Amino acid sequence: MSIRTRHILIIDDDADDILILEECLTRTSLNFHISAIHTGSETIPYLHHLSHGKQKNKPDLIILDLHLPDIGGVEVIHAIRRNLALCMIPIIVYSGSDDQRRLDACYAAGVNCCLKKPSNIDEAMTLAQAIHEFWFSTLRLPFDYAHH
C-alpha cells in the first residue's frame, strides 16, 4: 500500500502555534497537508462544506485547540460528531488548561484524546512525532482502506 498524503486540519486561534506544529510535523517523515482555521465560527461552515465534498477532501485528523475566541472547542466537537459524513474523523484536543470538567466534556462529546498543548519547541516536536507514530503509523484510520 502506498503512503498517501495525510490531511491534517488544525483549528487554533494562535497562528504561531499552528506554524510551530506544522514545522515540527515537517521534521517527521510524514507526508501531509495542513489546513488551518482560526475560529470556531469559521469551522462550522468549513465542516459543512467538507461534508458535501468528496471523501478525499476530508481531514484524516483534526487537531483542535480547546480555547477558541468565539465558539468553544466542545461545541466544535459536537458539530463534527453530529455530522454523519465527518463523525469518524479522529479529533485530538490540545489545551494548556488543566480544567478537568472541560476535559471531561471533550471526552463526553466524542473526542479521541486530550493532550497538553506544547509550550516550547521540544514539546511541539514530541507531539508531532507522537502524531506521526501513533495516528499515522500504528492506527488504522477510518479512511485508510476503501470499502469494497
Side-chain angles (χ1 to χ4, degrees):
M1 180 175 80
S2 65
I3 305 296
R4 65 179 176 78
T5 300
R6 300 302 187 153
H7 179 193
I8 301 171
L9 172 61
I10 301 176
I11 306 167
D12 192 334
D13 60 318
D14 189 327
D16 289 338
D17 286 347
I18 293 169
L19 288 173
I20 290 168
L21 186 54
E22 184 172 11
E23 174 61 30
C24 290
L25 284 166
T26 300
R27 293 181 190 178
T28 72
S29 59
L30 183 62
N31 181 16
F32 70 95
H33 164 74
I34 287 191
S35 298
I37 300 176
H38 301 284
T39 67
S41 60
E42 290 175 300
T43 302
I44 305 305
Y46 177 82
L47 293 172
H48 178 75
H49 174 74
L50 280 182
S51 68
H52 292 91
K54 295 183 179 183
Q55 185 74 24
K56 65 182 178 179
N57 297 328
K58 294 175 187 153
D60 295 292
L61 181 68
I62 297 171
I63 301 173
L64 172 65
D65 181 8
L66 185 56
H67 301 286
L68 298 172
D70 49 5
I71 297 173
V74 173
E75 293 167 65
V76 172
I77 297 164
H78 281 295
I80 295 166
R81 293 301 183 230
R82 281 192 307 260
N83 187 316
L84 291 177
L86 305 174
C87 66
M88 291 177 57
I89 298 170
I91 304 170
I92 296 173
V93 163
Y94 73 155
S95 174
S97 173
D98 289 329
D99 182 345
Q100 191 61 48
R101 290 174 304 176
R102 293 194 68 168
L103 297 176
D104 289 347
C106 289
Y107 281 111
V111 75
N112 296 88
C113 71
C114 294
L115 302 173
K116 180 180 177 276
K117 193 169 190 178
S119 59
N120 60 51
I121 194 72
D122 291 334
E123 289 179 5
M125 192 63 218
T126 299
L127 176 62
Q129 199 64 39
I131 289 169
H132 175 243
E133 291 174 7
F134 184 73
W135 292 97
F136 295 119
S137 296
T138 303
L139 289 183
R140 294 178 69 182
L141 294 173
F143 308 122
D144 280 350
Y145 304 93
H147 299 285
H148 296 285

